[in-house]
Amino acid sequence: MFPAEIYLQILLRLPVKSTFVCKCVCKTWFSLISDPSFAKSHFNLTIQRNNFSLILKGNDLSRIRKCNVIYSISHNSLQSLLSRDEEFLEYAVELDYPFKSLYESVLLTSCCDGLVCLWFCFRDCGMNFLCLWNPATKEYKELPRSPFAYDYSDYVMIGLCYDSKSEDYKLVTRTIGVVEVYSLRLNSWTSIENVPYEFQSRSDGVLVNRDLHWLAVTQDCSKVIVCLDVGGQIFKEIQLPNEPLVNNNDEHMFATVGVLEGCLYVIVDFFNVHSEVWVMQNYGVRESWTKRYTISNERILNAYLPSLVWSFKSGELLVGIWSIFDLVIYDPTDESVREPNMPSLTKLGKEGYYYESLVSLRSGTYVGGRRRRR
């Protein structure tokens, strides 16, 4: 017999699906794997091993019944796809998401610790609801409607994060004039009063350093990045880089905020000239903003709110051009752009970084299970 510590270390290194099988071996393993501390240790080890994937939502018009599809593709597979120029669907895994057979319209909005937030919006019938989903365990939870929001279809920002103070997952949304916070542990909503910012339209929160970030405009009309301390429900400001303002006379705007290689970035758009990508090397330190790329490719310049999705070892970038629902591979060395081999996916709507995890929603509802939405 091996010591219990050896068994634990082996179980922690198994994929999520394999841990379900191990639960059936004996009562001791069932109790061990079911413990929330095991899920936390398992997830932390997954992050340390850099074992993450890209989750993509798109439309597949090659099928008889056109539908929304959600795919997951690992970092290593995506790297292989780039180097060999093989078809995306040879490496990607299609995920069976909640209510797929019932509703055709779904938006992927935010990811955190293996949990994904889906937004089902149907303007014609007035049915709108949010849903949290763990693709690895197939568990999902339909969220109760907020008492502060009239209609989810009017949201202008959304973001999912983990509050380490209360050990709780929280979803932050903003509709017309109201910022709301949903607590998974309490299964209830609260509101944040008197928020002195206007947020960029239809922007999802960028998760960096365990906090959510958005581009916003202050009451004196200056642009900043705002960071939400979700535990204290307090917004903090992160100053944008100074240099584009000081050294350029051309008209410009801070267009997009995102995360690249774990660091906060912002894209500065100099209209019809070029775009600059500035990366914050040391989080929270304004002087650490560094210009990483200057982009002059017309296809990216003409895009509305492009985003840097992925950075490859070759130096190339996977860029999302969401105004035309497309992904392109951009080479900064020669300003060239090419398309990845995704023939059946005609439109791509959203992406996110995704780690498999055992985090439980404690809902008792699973994709493919018996319990259905009323």
Side-chain angles (χ1 to χ4, degrees):
M1 292 289 291
F2 291 109
E5 180 61 28
I6 299 297
Y7 284 122
L8 174 62
Q9 292 304 317
I10 294 173
L11 292 171
L12 286 173
R13 285 161 173 78
L14 292 178
V16 169
K17 187 178 293 186
S18 299
T19 63
F20 292 156
V21 178
C22 292
K23 274 187 171 184
C24 303
V25 172
C26 62
K27 291 182 179 180
T28 301
W29 283 16
F30 179 88
S31 177
L32 176 65
I33 296 171
S34 300
D35 193 313
S37 64
F38 179 89
K40 185 179 293 186
S41 298
H42 184 276
F43 181 72
N44 289 336
L45 190 58
T46 301
I47 293 177
Q48 291 174 18
R49 295 162 66 189
N50 212 23
N51 190 18
F52 62 96
S53 300
L54 186 69
I55 187 168
L56 291 164
K57 180 264 174 183
N59 292 326
D60 188 348
L61 301 185
S62 67
R63 306 184 185 187
I64 297 176
R65 179 175 177 264
K66 66 178 182 179
C67 63
N68 285 246
V69 288
I70 296 178
Y71 286 103
S72 173
I73 182 168
S74 70
H75 175 267
N76 292 335
S77 295
L78 197 58
Q79 189 76 41
S80 300
L81 179 68
L82 172 71
S83 59
R84 300 175 189 172
D85 197 28
E86 297 185 21
E87 185 176 347
F88 171 80
L89 295 182
E90 292 294 323
Y91 292 87
V93 176
E94 184 175 355
L95 302 176
D96 192 12
Y97 60 86
F99 312 118
K100 182 178 180 179
S101 61
L102 300 179
Y103 306 117
E104 294 183 10
S105 179
V106 62
L107 294 178
L108 188 157
T109 64
S110 189
C111 303
C112 177
D113 293 1
L115 300 181
V116 178
C117 180
L118 301 176
W119 177 46
F120 295 87
C121 177
F122 310 92
R123 293 182 181 275
D124 294 340
C125 62
M127 182 184 296
N128 299 284
F129 63 94
L130 296 168
C131 175
L132 293 181
W133 166 49
N134 185 329
T137 65
K138 298 187 177 182
E139 187 180 13
Y140 69 90
K141 179 180 179 62
E142 181 185 344
L143 304 191
R145 180 171 291 276
S146 165
F148 309 102
Y150 175 72
D151 191 346
Y152 282 135
S153 63
D154 294 326
Y155 88 81
V156 294
M157 73 178 199
I158 197 166
L160 179 63
C161 65
Y162 179 70
D163 180 2
S164 58
K165 295 177 183 177
S166 60
E167 297 186 341
D168 187 14
Y169 287 93
K170 294 183 177 179
L171 186 71
V172 182
T173 68
R174 182 174 184 267
T175 54
I176 299 175
V178 181
V179 174
E180 314 149 275
V181 179
Y182 168 79
S183 163
L184 177 62
R185 184 169 57 87
L186 300 176
N187 193 35
S188 63
W189 293 85
T190 58
S191 64
I192 303 177
E193 305 294 335
N194 304 318
V195 178
Y197 302 103
E198 287 296 326
F199 295 90
Q200 183 172 281
S201 178
R202 297 294 185 194
S203 60
D204 295 332
V206 176
L207 194 60
V208 182
N209 202 37
R210 306 296 289 175
D211 289 325
L212 293 167
H213 301 73
W214 295 269
L215 270 178
V217 179
T218 64
Q219 292 179 326
D220 62 2
C221 297
S222 59
K223 244 186 178 177
V224 295
I225 295 175
V226 293
C227 162
L228 176 61
D229 175 2
V230 73
Q233 296 194 357
I234 299 173
F235 284 98
K236 303 174 183 178
E237 295 183 8
I238 294 179
Q239 296 302 314
L240 289 160
N242 252 331
E243 193 169 335
L245 298 172
V246 175
N247 296 340
N248 293 279
N249 295 321
D250 298 321
E251 186 179 0
H252 67 278
M253 74 169 184
F254 293 99
T256 310
V257 64
V259 58
L260 183 67
E261 299 171 358
C263 295
L264 199 65
Y265 79 79
V266 64
I267 295 180
V268 188
D269 186 11
F270 294 88
F271 304 109
N272 301 319
V273 181
H274 67 270
S275 292
E276 296 177 357
V277 179
W278 288 75
V279 177
M280 180 174 264
Q281 305 286 2
N282 298 318
Y283 180 79
V285 180
R286 188 177 194 180
E287 292 73 23
S288 71
W289 282 109
T290 304
K291 183 165 64 174
R292 177 76 64 86
Y293 305 106
T294 299
I295 301 174
S296 301
N297 184 279
E298 289 187 4
R299 185 167 182 183
I300 298 177
L301 286 181
N302 294 333
Y304 175 68
L305 301 181
S307 63
L308 308 184
V309 179
W310 210 293
S311 174
F312 295 102
K313 295 177 183 178
S314 63
E316 293 176 300
L317 298 172
L318 189 64
V319 180
I321 305 178
W322 304 121
S323 55
I324 57 173
F325 305 102
D326 203 0
L327 282 174
V328 297
I329 299 171
Y330 168 72
D331 189 342
T333 58
D334 60 5
E335 290 282 340
S336 63
V337 162
R338 59 190 177 93
E339 295 185 0
N341 193 0
M342 301 180 179
S344 62
L345 292 176
T346 56
K347 291 184 177 181
L348 286 162
K350 183 63 179 175
E351 44 69 30
Y353 292 99
Y354 169 71
Y355 291 86
E356 281 197 350
S357 80
L358 287 161
V359 173
S360 175
L361 298 169
R362 295 178 180 158
S363 65
T365 52
Y366 296 84
V367 176
R370 294 182 178 179
R371 290 178 60 176
R372 296 275 185 170
R373 182 177 186 274
R374 292 181 180 178

